[in-house]
Amino acid sequence: MPHKRHTQFKKPDGGLYSEQLVSTEGFSNVYSLIYHCHPPTAVKKIDEPIDVTPKVVTNKNMQHRCYNGFAVKPENDFIQSRKAVLVNADVHIVLAAPKKSATKYFYKNSDADEVIFVHEGAGVLKSIFGELKFGYGDYIVIPRGTIYQIHFDGPDNRLFIVESFTPIVYPKRYRNDFGQLLEHAPFCERDIRAPKNLETIDKKGDFLVYIKKQGMLYPYHYAYHPFDAIGWDGCHYPYIFSIHDFEPITGRVHQPPPVHQTFEAHNFVICSFVPRMYDYHPKAIPAPYNHSNVDSDEVLYYVDGDFMSRKHVERGMITLHPIGIPHGPHPGTVEKSIGAKETKELAVMVDTFKPLWLTEQAFDIENPDYHKSWL
Ligand SMILES: [Fe+2]
C-alpha cells in the first residue's frame, strides 16, 4: 500500500495499480480503498438480465404460519438454490440448500447486504478482501456490492439468508461514540472474524459476474479476474460472527427478546437464541409469556436443541407470528418449564416492523394447520 492514499502506486513493471474507493451512503459512512492490478471497469459484454423477483402470493397475512425449511429442495447451483420465502420492502428471508460450489461465476448483490446463517455445511467465502472460512453456526455478513464466490466442502449445505436493503449493523446501544462494542454487549471485536489470506489473481480472460439489482440478475462479463487486489484497507468488508460466540444475557426473571439481539437494520432486527441458564427467581417461569407483538412480525428459525415453548418443532422449521394477534407457549409447556435449569435451544429470530409477504416458495413448504396448534 502506498504511504498516502490517492497517490502513485507503481507495479514492478512501472505501470500503476488501480485504486478503487468503495464508499457507502455516498461518502458519509464506512468505506474501503482497494488497489487492483487492473481497473475494475473493463466490461466485455452484458448478457440479457434474468428476473429473480420473488413471486409474492399474498402481501396480506393475518395468520400464524409454520414452514418446513428443510423441505426446500437442494439444488446444484448456488443462485438457483436461493428461495425467498418471506419478503417485504426492507428484508428478504431466503432458504437455500446448494449442493455445489459456485466456481464458474461470481455473484454480487447490489440491492442488499446479505447475512448468510450457516445451519449445515462448511466452506470458504472468497472475495477481493480475502478468504472467510465458515462452518456451522456462522453468520457471514456480506455488505452489498461485494463480489463473492462461495465454496463448499461437501454437498450437504443448509443456509438461512437474510437480505437487508439497508446496512446490517450491531445494535446501537452496544456501541460507543467511536463504534467500539461496549462491555455490556453480548459479543466483542475479538469474536469477529475478518477476511484472511488475500490472494492476488492477476488474470485476463472472460469472468462472469451475476450482479443482482432491483430483482434482476445482470450477467456481466469482465476482462480481468475480480479478485485482483494487491491490498486494501478500510471498514467495508465481509466478516463472520458465530452464533456460538454470542454470550447470553440471563436474569432472575424472564428476559425480553432484545437481550438476544445481534444485528439491526432499518425496520428489522436479527436475534440469536443460544444455550443458556434459565431464570433463577425461585418462582420463575422460564417459558415465555403470551405476547401480543403490536407492531412486528416475528420470524423464528429453529436451528438445534429443544424448544421449550413449542411442540413438534423440527430443525430448519420457520414460524411466523404476525402483527395483529397474540402468540404464546403451546399448551402444557409453561408448567413443564417450571424448575428447568437450562436450555440447549439454538435459533435465529428476525423481527420485522412491517408485515411480511408470503411467496410461492413459502406456500410449497407450509404446515397448514399450525394456526390451530394452541387449541
Ligand atoms: Fe414474541
Side-chain angles (χ1 to χ4, degrees):
M1 307 267 286
H3 175 63
K4 277 279 168 198
R5 48 195 191 161
H6 324 321
T7 59
Q8 296 171 32
F9 182 23
K10 287 199 174 151
K11 297 179 183 178
D13 70 2
L16 287 170
Y17 285 109
S18 207
E19 187 186 36
Q20 182 189 12
L21 172 71
V22 182
S23 68
T24 64
E25 288 177 28
F27 293 84
S28 305
N29 215 321
V30 290
Y31 63 92
S32 285
L33 270 177
I34 302 173
Y35 294 90
H36 295 267
C37 293
H38 304 280
T41 47
V43 175
K44 290 179 95 164
K45 65 168 177 164
I46 309 166
D47 295 334
E48 280 302 307
I50 304 153
D51 192 345
V52 290
T53 312
K55 291 192 177 66
V56 173
V57 174
T58 178
N59 60 2
K60 293 183 171 63
N61 174 51
M62 248 296 275
Q63 189 181 309
H64 292 324
R65 306 273 180 177
C66 178
Y67 304 104
N68 297 312
F70 278 13
V72 160
K73 262 196 8 226
E75 302 255 10
N76 283 327
D77 180 69
F78 173 63
I79 292 179
Q80 277 176 9
S81 77
R82 297 166 62 113
K83 320 276 187 202
V85 285
L86 302 168
V87 301
N88 68 19
D90 305 309
V91 60
H92 286 186
I93 294 170
V94 176
L95 293 168
K99 287 199 280 191
K100 293 200 171 146
S101 300
T103 51
K104 300 224 160 63
Y105 62 82
F106 302 81
Y107 174 70
K108 172 162 98 170
N109 194 333
S110 290
D111 283 330
D113 286 20
E114 294 190 352
V115 179
I116 302 180
F117 177 78
V118 182
H119 191 169
E120 288 187 350
V124 183
L125 185 102
K126 298 186 177 198
S127 75
I128 197 159
F129 302 97
E131 293 182 343
L132 282 167
K133 269 197 175 159
F134 63 82
Y136 168 58
D138 281 339
Y139 289 106
I140 313 171
V141 181
I142 309 167
R144 80 200 59 186
T146 305
I147 297 175
Y148 71 83
Q149 255 187 352
I150 193 159
H151 292 240
F152 299 105
D153 293 348
D156 301 317
N157 306 291
R158 289 278 171 187
L159 310 174
F160 175 81
I161 305 172
V162 176
E163 291 185 40
S164 171
F165 295 89
T166 50
I168 287 282
V169 296
Y170 300 120
K172 218 178 187 149
R173 68 180 183 281
Y174 290 144
R175 290 180 281 146
N176 66 19
D177 287 349
F178 298 94
Q180 185 182 17
L181 288 160
L182 289 161
E183 268 292 301
H184 70 293
F187 45 85
C188 72
E189 279 78 9
R190 211 176 280 188
D191 299 316
I192 299 161
R193 282 139 58 197
K196 282 185 185 165
N197 310 325
L198 181 81
E199 189 191 353
T200 307
I201 307 175
D202 183 357
K203 258 193 202 162
K204 199 173 177 176
D206 189 308
F207 301 93
L208 174 60
V209 185
Y210 284 105
I211 305 176
K212 192 174 168 191
K213 187 174 173 186
Q214 294 172 298
M216 304 296 281
L217 271 183
Y218 295 90
Y220 263 69
H221 294 259
Y222 281 96
Y224 298 104
H225 196 287
F227 303 159
D228 71 339
I230 191 84
W232 64 273
D233 68 353
C235 294
H236 179 89
Y237 54 87
Y239 64 90
I240 287 177
F241 171 69
S242 168
I243 196 168
H244 306 301
D245 285 328
F246 188 93
E247 291 302 327
I249 297 169
T250 59
R252 238 161 76 90
V253 293
H254 192 77
Q255 297 293 297
V259 300
H260 306 283
Q261 196 188 342
T262 313
F263 301 107
E264 66 190 16
H266 180 62
N267 277 345
F268 78 94
V269 297
I270 300 176
C271 302
S272 305
F273 287 78
V274 302
R276 62 192 182 280
M277 302 308 288
Y278 271 142
D279 324 327
Y280 48 89
H281 184 286
K283 295 213 162 171
I285 296 178
Y289 28 65
N290 293 298
H291 178 211
S292 195
N293 43 329
V294 172
D295 45 19
S296 51
D297 269 19
E298 294 183 12
V299 174
L300 206 53
Y301 178 72
Y302 300 93
V303 181
D304 269 309
D306 50 338
F307 300 94
M308 141 274 282
S309 61
R310 298 259 166 276
K311 289 177 172 173
H312 316 299
V313 162
E314 282 167 35
R315 297 172 72 239
M317 209 173 240
I318 292 178
T319 54
L320 164 62
H321 300 133
I323 294 168
I325 41 172
H327 58 280
H330 275 139
T333 56
V334 169
E335 292 77 7
K336 215 180 118 193
S337 78
I338 293 172
K341 292 282 175 260
E342 60 176 329
T343 173
K344 302 275 187 221
E345 74 179 1
L346 197 64
V348 175
M349 186 168 79
V350 180
D351 280 5
T352 66
F353 307 149
K354 296 275 189 274
L356 286 159
W357 310 338
L358 319 180
T359 70
E360 223 171 65
Q361 310 277 6
F363 279 95
D364 285 349
I365 57 167
E366 184 166 10
N367 165 2
D369 292 324
Y370 176 69
H371 63 290
K372 297 180 199 160
S373 63
W374 284 265
L375 263 181

